[in-house]
Amino acid sequence: MTMAPSLPLAPRADLPDVAHQRVPLARPLDWVGMENIALPVRIADGQGGQLQVAASIDLSVNLANPDARGIHMSRLYLQLQDGLAREAITPAGLRHLLQDGVAAQAGLATNARLKIRYDALLQRKALESDYTGWKRYPVEIEATLVDGHLNLALSFSVEYSSTCPASAALSRQANAERFAGDFEAAHPLSVDVVRDWLASERGLAATPHAQRSRTSIRVDLRPQFDELPLLALVDAIEAVLGTPVQTAVKRVDEQAFARLNAENLMFCEDAARRVASVLASDPRIARYDATVAHYESLHPHDAVARVSGSND
């Protein structure tokens, strides 16, 4: 026996609706909505395709009518769920989601705000070997529609290695002093002897301290571009810092990483200036705020620098 498809139930007119009761202490509200909604979103993969990822989402609208007791919360959730099934996370898609959120409130709201948090998993190639691995980048997208104007902000963080320039200079001095002591009476010196000494344990009297570090970045974007520039910004930040943390590593990659650290000695102030040089020159960015934190191996506290600016 074939079952006929079920139809959605008509809303029951006899159910109580307290939303239409009189509003005590009536006044409009800035934002009303939901936080930490678990939903899938579709994002650009940087290669012309899309990926679906799990996200945590905040969505709210203003309650412009002071005499309305509350917004249509269930409509807001259903509209978001349906909208994300249709729209990828692009500037145009975000605008549509916010416009639909306002429209779903049937005149109660004029503005809408959306925050989307997810982990971007990007595949990164090893420095020298043929291996690749995946690296996680925490991302937050904030989109606000106020009086029809869309404001977009993108936040993300990048981890890298920082080797202290002062510690490197002190280590070089210690190495030079040991060399002078070991070869004070050796005349003449051959290249082979010096090379063997440098390759031995005696050839490393001290090493500079280094640590895993992180830059946390927020940029206000100009919304006229077609895509959110996450991958391009991550690539540019990792390139200017020079020492992004690695994924798959063989010995040849580890040696290459050590060379990069020696070539990119930096205090937190140096790292902040490097990051700012990228953000200040990107035409997609209207304003930026960046923090770099070096999680010191020398001290029990962190070294931190912050920088901000506008691209007028």
Side-chain angles (χ1 to χ4, degrees), residues 243-274:
T243 55
V245 297
Q246 300 297 297
T247 55
V249 174
K250 303 296 285 184
R251 281 180 294 173
V252 65
D253 303 308
E254 189 168 356
Q255 186 179 64
F257 188 67
R259 288 197 184 103
L260 285 175
N261 274 267
E263 294 167 1
N264 292 279
L265 304 173
M266 53 185 151
F267 296 119
C268 63
E269 297 93 331
D270 301 317
R273 293 184 180 105
R274 291 190 183 197

Side-chain angles (χ1 to χ4, degrees), residues 145-229:
L145 190 69
V146 176
D147 298 328
H149 297 289
L150 178 66
N151 297 303
L152 285 178
L154 174 65
S155 302
F156 62 96
S157 61
V158 173
E159 290 187 331
Y160 61 100
S161 173
S162 61
T163 301
C164 176
S167 182
L170 295 169
S171 298
R172 290 194 298 269
Q173 182 188 49
N175 291 336
E177 288 175 350
R178 178 177 287 181
F179 178 86
D182 285 359
F183 292 97
E184 183 177 8
H187 299 289
L189 276 178
S190 71
V191 172
D192 289 341
V193 168
V194 175
R195 184 181 61 238
D196 291 344
W197 182 88
L198 289 172
S200 70
E201 291 186 3
R202 288 292 299 172
L204 194 61
T207 60
H209 74 81
Q211 51 273 320
R212 187 184 299 178
S213 305
R214 178 180 291 127
T215 177
S216 300
I217 295 168
R218 175 188 167 95
V219 293
D220 294 334
L221 297 171
R222 296 188 170 100
Q224 64 265 33
F225 293 92
D226 293 334
E227 289 190 353
L228 299 174

